[in-house]
Amino acid sequence: MTAPKALDTPYDQPRIFGSAYRAATIGILLVITLIAFEGMSVSVVMPIISKQLDALDLYGLSFSAFLIASLFANVVSGLWSDRRGYTMPFLLGVVLFVIGMGLAGAAATKVLFLAARAVQGLGAGCTIVAVYVMIARVYPAAVRPKIFAALSAAWVVPAMVGPAVAGFVAYAWGWRWVFFGIIPLVVPALVMLVPALKKRADGAAESGSSDEGDGSSEGARSRPFAMTVAATAAAGGAGVLLYGVDKLHISPVPSAVAVLAGLACLGYGLSKLLPPGALRFSRGLPTTIMMRGMFSAAFFGVNSFIPLALQQVKEFGPAAAGIALTTGALGWSTGSYLQSRRSVEPYRRIRLGAACVMAGVLIGLLSVLPGITGWVAVPAWIVAGFGMGLGMTTVSVTALKQSPVNEQGANSAALSVTDMLGSALAVGVGGALVNVIGHSPGMIARGFVVICCLMSAIALAATLLASRTRSD
């Protein structure tokens, strides 16, 4: 008998919920869903927390503390994942996240709350990069767009019920239970994922390698000590920079020195953490990675202030103010789904996504103007969310495609670094603007308009630079 021809061999298209990937997919999606639930809930109750802890002046820093800590953890987790595998960074990240939730719920002062948010950020940073490396190493290239789309879809249920549940819990039992209530939900998800992670690690041990890769990584961005120093410089520089920006109107000279020092540290750190040419927007992977930060800055720089603006200016309740965030996440999921189904060139999808974010932000600023209903934020954030789903998911898929196997962890970390840094700087600067302009309802409205104008300019820049994500 002759061997069957290749064309006669049936080919089973890999599926993310097929038997080979089902356990990993369900575990990843469960954890991401709960992290997403926390993100949606915190955004809604932050105005209440700021009032009860007398921390409105630290509103933006409450988000930035989370993001800057995530930036540091991103790098360490990426190095760890490249050299030793993704299992331990993932598990450690989830554990730290749970600890941070408990600390936030127990915080009696705004300083302790900021510290708790930083612990949460460390956990989220470890987890997110480990998930990206897991996707790169576990799933074949053909199905990666689908798993990234599934990750975006994991935000749908939290987005639909998170704001309403968080508002109800805060009203009925207090905002602390928004944090405490998520902890018991995280534990079962982690327990369900442990067997899948252990199976991967055991299988890799039998083959004489790390749990997902060959344990080797070459190049400047694989040196643990140098990269840890760079991560510390970037995270510390971002924190000092935001502190200086926030205090410029109070003590101009010392604050200006802090801003310059922060910029210097940040520039040094990023030059080591990102691919060569990233800060110059060189064509291909460098610009692809920078695009992630621009999307995050434009979107989250406004997203974090929507509940504050609607509650303080339009007198919305917490649940009503969270509806805009809900619709934004639904738009995000739709855009992510469509990018996995279309054959349009990636840079065109990135360009369209950035343009949609810009349009959504500009429409959203109308929601705080006199004589215009605050519900304008709902369609505005559908448009902006759609742009994020279309553009951000395409950026993630493109970056992995452009990365050599032994640099997937480093480049996954670089994606998260620009993501977290873009969000942290945008939200921190937005908080500083609110502090400078004032905390009365009318002043918050003016601050929100200024924030929207600034973030729309960033989205416009991303639209114009999208073509530089092409490698050829």
Side-chain angles (χ1 to χ4, degrees), residues 76-78 80-81 84-94 123 126-127 130:
V76 175
S77 181
W80 194 352
S81 297
R84 300 296 180 186
Y86 55 72
T87 300
M88 289 308 299
F90 184 86
L91 294 176
L92 177 63
V94 174
C126 284
T127 303

Side-chain angles (χ1 to χ4, degrees), residues 46 49 53 62 104 107 109-118 175 179:
M46 270 306 301
I49 296 171
L53 295 183
S62 298
T109 67
K110 59 186 179 183
V111 174
L112 293 177
F113 182 77
L114 283 176
R117 291 289 287 162
W175 61 266
F179 295 96

Side-chain angles (χ1 to χ4, degrees), residues 15-18 21-30 139 147 150 193:
R15 294 176 294 116
I16 61 174
F17 288 105
Y21 307 111
R22 185 180 301 119
T25 299
I26 293 175
I28 290 170
L29 294 182
L30 280 173
Y139 298 88
I147 186 62
L193 190 55

Side-chain angles (χ1 to χ4, degrees), residues 88-272:
M88 289 308 299
F90 184 86
L91 294 176
L92 177 63
V94 174
V95 170
L96 283 174
F97 186 78
V98 170
I99 292 172
M101 295 291 288
L103 292 175
T109 67
K110 59 186 179 183
V111 174
L112 293 177
F113 182 77
L114 283 176
R117 291 289 287 162
V119 174
Q120 290 178 28
L122 289 173
C126 284
T127 303
I128 291 169
V129 170
V131 165
Y132 278 22
V133 178
M134 190 184 305
I135 289 171
R137 305 246 174 110
V138 172
Y139 298 88
V143 299
R144 286 176 195 159
K146 293 182 174 61
I147 186 62
F148 275 115
L151 286 181
S152 293
W155 286 79
V156 172
V157 173
M160 291 177 65
V161 303
V165 170
F168 173 78
V169 169
Y171 176 78
W173 296 295
W175 61 266
R176 298 180 186 279
W177 285 99
V178 173
F179 295 96
F180 290 145
I182 294 176
I183 294 175
L185 302 177
V186 174
V187 175
L190 178 59
V191 171
M192 290 180 65
L193 190 55
V194 167
L197 293 172
K198 186 175 184 299
K199 181 179 178 181
R200 287 283 174 187
D202 291 345
E206 291 173 5
S207 66
S209 64
S210 68
D211 60 346
E212 300 87 10
D214 59 9
S216 64
S217 181
E218 303 296 334
R221 290 192 297 144
S222 67
R223 299 169 186 165
F225 179 76
M227 294 302 286
T228 302
V229 171
T232 303
V240 172
L241 171 62
L242 289 178
Y243 174 83
V245 169
D246 192 53
K247 302 298 182 183
L248 270 174
H249 65 294
I250 298 174
S251 51
V253 175
S255 297
V257 172
V259 168
L260 293 175
L263 284 173
C265 291
L266 186 58
Y268 169 80
L270 291 180
S271 69
K272 306 297 182 183

